[in-house]
mmCIF file of all heavy atoms in Angstrom:
data_model
loop_
_atom_site.group_PDB
_atom_site.id
_atom_site.type_symbol
_atom_site.label_atom_id
_atom_site.label_comp_id
_atom_site.label_asym_id
_atom_site.label_seq_id
_atom_site.Cartn_x
_atom_site.Cartn_y
_atom_site.Cartn_z
ATOM 1 N N GLU A 859 78.710 -76.594 74.857
ATOM 2 C CA GLU A 859 77.593 -76.840 73.948
ATOM 3 C C GLU A 859 78.055 -77.670 72.742
ATOM 4 O O GLU A 859 79.115 -77.427 72.187
ATOM 5 C CB GLU A 859 76.999 -75.515 73.472
ATOM 6 C CG GLU A 859 75.673 -75.715 72.800
ATOM 7 C CD GLU A 859 74.880 -74.424 72.634
ATOM 8 O OE1 GLU A 859 75.385 -73.354 72.998
ATOM 9 O OE2 GLU A 859 73.744 -74.519 72.122
ATOM 10 N N GLY A 860 77.241 -78.649 72.381
ATOM 11 C CA GLY A 860 77.583 -79.509 71.254
ATOM 12 C C GLY A 860 76.971 -78.994 69.958
ATOM 13 O O GLY A 860 76.302 -77.959 69.939
ATOM 14 N N VAL A 861 77.188 -79.725 68.888
ATOM 15 C CA VAL A 861 76.593 -79.336 67.605
ATOM 16 C C VAL A 861 75.188 -79.912 67.497
ATOM 17 O O VAL A 861 74.902 -80.985 68.004
ATOM 18 C CB VAL A 861 77.419 -79.825 66.390
ATOM 19 C CG1 VAL A 861 78.632 -78.955 66.211
ATOM 20 C CG2 VAL A 861 77.812 -81.285 66.533
ATOM 21 N N ASP A 862 74.304 -79.187 66.859
ATOM 22 C CA ASP A 862 72.927 -79.646 66.695
ATOM 23 C C ASP A 862 72.559 -79.645 65.213
ATOM 24 O O ASP A 862 72.286 -78.594 64.628
ATOM 25 C CB ASP A 862 71.990 -78.718 67.490
ATOM 26 C CG ASP A 862 70.563 -79.230 67.489
ATOM 27 O OD1 ASP A 862 70.291 -80.248 66.824
ATOM 28 O OD2 ASP A 862 69.723 -78.613 68.166
ATOM 29 N N PRO A 863 72.577 -80.834 64.587
ATOM 30 C CA PRO A 863 72.281 -80.884 63.150
ATOM 31 C C PRO A 863 70.792 -80.683 62.847
ATOM 32 O O PRO A 863 70.423 -80.512 61.689
ATOM 33 C CB PRO A 863 72.728 -82.290 62.747
ATOM 34 C CG PRO A 863 72.639 -83.104 63.992
ATOM 35 C CD PRO A 863 72.902 -82.159 65.129
ATOM 36 N N LYS A 864 69.951 -80.698 63.877
ATOM 37 C CA LYS A 864 68.503 -80.480 63.725
ATOM 38 C C LYS A 864 67.884 -81.353 62.627
ATOM 39 O O LYS A 864 67.196 -80.862 61.724
ATOM 40 C CB LYS A 864 68.210 -79.012 63.427
ATOM 41 C CG LYS A 864 68.615 -78.070 64.557
ATOM 42 C CD LYS A 864 67.965 -76.707 64.372
ATOM 43 C CE LYS A 864 68.098 -75.793 65.563
ATOM 44 N NZ LYS A 864 69.430 -75.205 65.756
ATOM 45 N N ALA A 865 68.142 -82.643 62.714
ATOM 46 C CA ALA A 865 67.547 -83.572 61.746
ATOM 47 C C ALA A 865 66.037 -83.612 61.965
ATOM 48 O O ALA A 865 65.559 -83.439 63.077
ATOM 49 C CB ALA A 865 68.138 -84.967 61.928
ATOM 50 N N GLU A 866 65.324 -83.835 60.885
ATOM 51 C CA GLU A 866 63.872 -83.901 61.017
ATOM 52 C C GLU A 866 63.458 -85.216 61.650
ATOM 53 O O GLU A 866 64.082 -86.251 61.424
ATOM 54 C CB GLU A 866 63.238 -83.795 59.636
ATOM 55 C CG GLU A 866 62.574 -82.441 59.442
ATOM 56 C CD GLU A 866 61.857 -82.375 58.125
ATOM 57 O OE1 GLU A 866 60.871 -83.114 57.976
ATOM 58 O OE2 GLU A 866 62.313 -81.597 57.275
ATOM 59 N N CYS A 867 62.402 -85.179 62.447
ATOM 60 C CA CYS A 867 61.922 -86.398 63.071
ATOM 61 C C CYS A 867 60.512 -86.700 62.574
ATOM 62 O O CYS A 867 59.576 -85.960 62.851
ATOM 63 C CB CYS A 867 61.933 -86.264 64.586
ATOM 64 S SG CYS A 867 61.518 -87.802 65.393
ATOM 65 N N PRO A 868 60.364 -87.783 61.799
ATOM 66 C CA PRO A 868 59.053 -88.116 61.238
ATOM 67 C C PRO A 868 58.117 -88.725 62.280
ATOM 68 O O PRO A 868 56.945 -88.951 62.020
ATOM 69 C CB PRO A 868 59.383 -89.140 60.154
ATOM 70 C CG PRO A 868 60.644 -89.789 60.620
ATOM 71 C CD PRO A 868 61.397 -88.761 61.404
ATOM 72 N N THR A 869 58.675 -89.006 63.461
ATOM 73 C CA THR A 869 57.898 -89.694 64.487
ATOM 74 C C THR A 869 57.455 -88.707 65.559
ATOM 75 O O THR A 869 58.205 -87.833 65.957
ATOM 76 C CB THR A 869 58.740 -90.813 65.122
ATOM 77 O OG1 THR A 869 59.150 -91.684 64.097
ATOM 78 C CG2 THR A 869 57.934 -91.589 66.151
ATOM 79 N N GLN A 870 56.221 -88.898 65.976
ATOM 80 C CA GLN A 870 55.645 -88.001 66.959
ATOM 81 C C GLN A 870 55.396 -88.795 68.232
ATOM 82 O O GLN A 870 54.820 -89.885 68.200
ATOM 83 C CB GLN A 870 54.324 -87.512 66.375
ATOM 84 C CG GLN A 870 53.646 -86.417 67.131
ATOM 85 C CD GLN A 870 52.208 -86.287 66.648
ATOM 86 O OE1 GLN A 870 51.864 -86.691 65.531
ATOM 87 N NE2 GLN A 870 51.361 -85.759 67.509
ATOM 88 N N TRP A 871 55.860 -88.249 69.345
ATOM 89 C CA TRP A 871 55.637 -88.901 70.625
ATOM 90 C C TRP A 871 54.238 -88.527 71.095
ATOM 91 O O TRP A 871 53.893 -87.350 71.137
ATOM 92 C CB TRP A 871 56.693 -88.403 71.616
ATOM 93 C CG TRP A 871 56.677 -89.091 72.931
ATOM 94 C CD1 TRP A 871 57.401 -90.204 73.286
ATOM 95 C CD2 TRP A 871 55.943 -88.714 74.095
ATOM 96 N NE1 TRP A 871 57.138 -90.535 74.583
ATOM 97 C CE2 TRP A 871 56.254 -89.644 75.102
ATOM 98 C CE3 TRP A 871 55.046 -87.689 74.390
ATOM 99 C CZ2 TRP A 871 55.703 -89.571 76.381
ATOM 100 C CZ3 TRP A 871 54.499 -87.615 75.657
ATOM 101 C CH2 TRP A 871 54.825 -88.549 76.654
ATOM 102 N N VAL A 872 53.402 -89.505 71.401
ATOM 103 C CA VAL A 872 52.016 -89.213 71.740
ATOM 104 C C VAL A 872 51.776 -89.190 73.243
ATOM 105 O O VAL A 872 51.282 -88.205 73.791
ATOM 106 C CB VAL A 872 51.058 -90.238 71.073
ATOM 107 C CG1 VAL A 872 49.605 -89.922 71.415
ATOM 108 C CG2 VAL A 872 51.253 -90.252 69.569
ATOM 109 N N SER A 873 52.128 -90.273 73.907
ATOM 110 C CA SER A 873 51.837 -90.346 75.340
ATOM 111 C C SER A 873 52.646 -91.455 75.990
ATOM 112 O O SER A 873 53.280 -92.254 75.296
ATOM 113 C CB SER A 873 50.351 -90.647 75.554
ATOM 114 O OG SER A 873 50.065 -91.923 75.023
ATOM 115 N N GLU A 874 52.595 -91.477 77.299
ATOM 116 C CA GLU A 874 53.208 -92.597 78.006
ATOM 117 C C GLU A 874 52.351 -92.975 79.198
ATOM 118 O O GLU A 874 51.538 -92.186 79.670
ATOM 119 C CB GLU A 874 54.634 -92.270 78.455
ATOM 120 C CG GLU A 874 54.716 -91.250 79.568
ATOM 121 C CD GLU A 874 56.147 -90.839 79.881
ATOM 122 O OE1 GLU A 874 57.082 -91.410 79.315
ATOM 123 O OE2 GLU A 874 56.296 -89.934 80.716
#
Side-chain angles (χ1 to χ4, degrees):
Chain A
E859 193 165 3
V861 283
D862 186 356
K864 297 196 169 75
E866 253 184 66
C867 186
T869 303
Q870 189 194 337
W871 186 91
V872 181
S873 64
E874 70 186 354

